[in-house]
Amino acid sequence: MKYLGYPIEELNKKGGYNTAKEISNQPDLWKKTYMRLVKEKKGLSGFLDNVLKNNNPYIIFTGAGTSAFVGESLVGAYQRDLGVTCRAIATTDIITHPENYFIKSRPTLLISIARSGDSPESVAALEIARKHCDNLYELAITCNKQGHLAKKSNGENSYVFLLPDEANDRSLAMTGSYSSMLLAGLLILNIGAIEQMGHVVNRISELGKHIIDNYLSDIRKISGLNFKRAVFLGSGPLLGTAHESHLKVQELSNGFVLGKFDSFLGFRHGPKAVVDKTTLIIYLLSNNPFSKPYEMDLIRSVQKTNAGEKSVAIGNLGNDELKFDLNIQFPDNAKDIPEDFLSVLFVLPAQIIGFFKSLNLGLSPDCPSTNGAISRVVQGVEIYHAVSSDFV
């Protein structure tokens, strides 16, 4: 048995078994997540109906770190499809400045996203929301039924969606938990037609296996290059994926590779200056025909600088004029996958790059932080409870 090309025995020696297994098993985990949502259709539909029957509801996606990036990919789809105000606000922002984000008199749905639900910010953000909102609904999307968040979200206007046990990653870096919580969020938006979403889930599962089966050796070669910066670019729902991708490579390399992310258009406004011969740029290409010309223009602009950077394109180009060190392409151009769902699939290459780079650096992917600077569950955060008296 192998994961990411390594026998289990070798992975155990290198301290990478959990990470390799959790990355590799995501396509199957996505299907299990879907089946769990099918079973909970009635409960979730009823819960969302209660929220949306309110006049002018307000939806906030929250989480810390990787979990916060899930909300960044979800927020646009929810606002577009539901026609209500939606924001993605990290728990780390809510805790210090709650008055900047809550509207006391407005019916609010707080969607808390967390792998363990045990980080201090997870429960603190929920408690603060309860103090700052007159009419609060709570939806927790989490991987740990024993976590503080899952246990705390038990009121009349609360709903906890628990992912399959396999989603609760054992490794430090979130992989299966991230992609599966993101998928769950997208499917909850489509909960009324959940049976019709099965073909989309099967398709991204097939294409996830396509990446692992067909591009593993190429990604391993890219990871072996001597790059010290990794820049991920994505637009729309893929901007959240770019955010998560940059962190994944940075975490798994223990900071040896400095990560950056941006949108294709935003990258022109100053951040493009980071590109040099030590840079790897990863382009997350949308299948949205409106977005594609902007993406192509930016890539042409970067390549004209001849800075000596290395590059990876994820997605189909539609032309051969642009050259990359690696282009991860999909059968039938993945045209049958809604753009929002590409955000689940397109995180896989960054996870694999991070895994191989970690091994290249002599690190243990399951726990790459040699000095304990980062940990699986954040430690040392003191919560200071205070509610502004003039909050309205």
Side-chain angles (χ1 to χ4, degrees):
M1 184 69 178
K2 292 183 177 181
Y3 293 112
L4 299 184
Y6 284 91
I8 291 176
E9 296 79 5
E10 188 172 356
L11 287 170
N12 283 326
K13 290 179 181 177
K14 294 178 179 293
Y17 170 74
N18 289 321
T19 306
K21 181 181 179 181
E22 287 156 5
I23 291 173
S24 301
N25 286 350
Q26 285 173 103
D28 291 330
L29 181 56
W30 298 338
K31 290 183 177 180
K32 293 178 181 179
T33 299
Y34 168 74
M35 292 308 301
R36 182 159 293 196
L37 280 157
V38 170
K39 293 178 181 178
E40 296 195 31
K41 174 181 178 179
K42 183 177 180 181
L44 278 164
S45 295
F47 174 78
L48 289 178
D49 287 344
N50 283 336
V51 175
L52 296 174
K53 71 182 181 183
N54 287 278
N55 182 39
N56 199 22
Y58 175 32
I59 299 177
I60 296 176
F61 297 90
T62 195
T66 287
S67 298
F69 309 153
V70 172
E72 292 176 4
S73 285
L74 294 175
V75 64
Y78 272 71
Q79 180 155 310
R80 179 193 67 223
D81 291 359
L82 298 180
V84 300
T85 303
C86 300
R87 296 184 69 184
I89 307 166
T91 55
T92 47
D93 292 328
I94 287 176
I95 288 171
T96 59
H97 291 81
E99 65 278 6
N100 289 0
Y101 307 113
F102 294 114
I103 303 171
K104 190 172 179 62
S105 61
R106 194 165 174 186
T108 300
L109 168 60
L110 185 72
I111 302 182
S112 299
I113 302 161
R115 173 172 64 176
S116 70
D118 282 331
S119 67
E121 298 96 335
S122 294
V123 172
L126 181 59
E127 292 176 342
I128 289 171
R130 289 174 178 175
K131 293 177 181 178
H132 284 324
C133 298
D134 291 335
N135 187 9
L136 181 69
Y137 297 84
E138 305 160 8
L139 171 60
I141 300 174
T142 184
C143 307
N144 182 16
K145 62 183 178 182
Q146 299 299 329
H148 290 102
L149 179 64
K151 292 180 178 180
K152 190 76 173 180
S153 302
N154 57 7
E156 181 179 351
N157 290 335
S158 300
Y159 195 102
V160 178
F161 177 71
L162 288 169
L163 281 91
D165 291 341
E166 304 97 301
N168 193 10
D169 306 315
R170 297 178 64 185
S171 54
L172 181 147
M174 292 173 63
T175 55
S177 57
Y178 169 83
S179 63
S180 298
M181 289 192 295
L182 174 52
L183 176 62
L186 290 168
L187 292 173
I188 288 170
L189 176 60
N190 294 275
I191 196 68
I194 189 67
E195 293 84 2
Q196 285 72 52
M197 300 306 298
H199 75 281
V200 176
V201 176
N202 286 335
R203 189 80 171 102
I204 63 171
S205 178
E206 290 171 1
L207 295 182
K209 291 178 180 178
H210 172 78
I211 293 174
I212 295 171
D213 292 343
N214 294 281
Y215 288 101
L216 200 60
S217 62
D218 291 327
I219 296 174
R220 186 172 182 174
K221 289 177 183 176
I222 287 291
S223 305
L225 298 176
N226 187 29
F227 59 91
K228 297 181 180 180
R229 304 175 183 179
V231 178
F232 291 83
L233 301 180
S235 299
L238 293 175
L239 180 59
T241 303
H243 201 167
E244 164 61 8
S245 295
H246 102 282
L247 178 62
K248 210 51 45 195
V249 174
Q250 189 166 276
E251 281 181 322
L252 286 167
S253 70
N254 196 29
F256 177 86
V257 177
L258 296 180
K260 187 171 181 59
F261 78 100
D262 213 323
S263 67
F264 280 84
L265 284 175
F267 195 56
R268 293 178 183 270
H269 294 264
K272 189 178 169 188
V274 305
V275 179
D276 63 13
K277 63 182 180 180
T278 70
T279 305
L280 175 67
I281 303 182
I282 300 88
Y283 301 102
L284 310 181
L285 302 176
S286 172
N287 60 4
N288 182 334
F290 183 78
S291 304
K292 188 59 69 69
Y294 295 103
E295 297 172 352
M296 296 299 102
D297 284 350
L298 182 278
I299 296 171
R300 292 187 192 100
S301 175
V302 172
Q303 293 191 348
K304 283 180 181 178
T305 65
N306 297 318
E309 81 286 349
K310 301 299 181 181
S311 61
V312 176
I314 304 172
N316 296 67
L317 291 162
N319 63 66
D320 297 322
E321 64 174 289
L322 299 170
K323 302 300 180 183
F324 303 91
D325 294 281
L326 173 61
N327 183 193
I328 298 174
Q329 300 190 64
F330 302 99
D332 302 321
N333 297 338
K335 290 180 178 177
D336 55 339
I337 298 179
E339 181 187 22
D340 299 317
F341 285 82
L342 291 179
S343 61
V344 178
L345 176 65
F346 279 17
V347 75
L348 265 173
Q351 296 171 346
I352 299 170
I353 290 171
F355 171 81
F356 285 135
K357 178 57 74 175
S358 188
L359 291 179
N360 290 341
L361 294 170
L363 301 171
S364 299
D366 289 351
C367 190
S369 182
T370 55
N371 62 357
I374 55 175
S375 56
R376 185 179 180 277
V377 179
V378 169
Q379 306 293 324
V381 178
E382 183 73 27
I383 303 298
Y384 302 94
H385 290 281
V387 179
S388 175
S389 60
D390 59 354
F391 179 80
V392 294

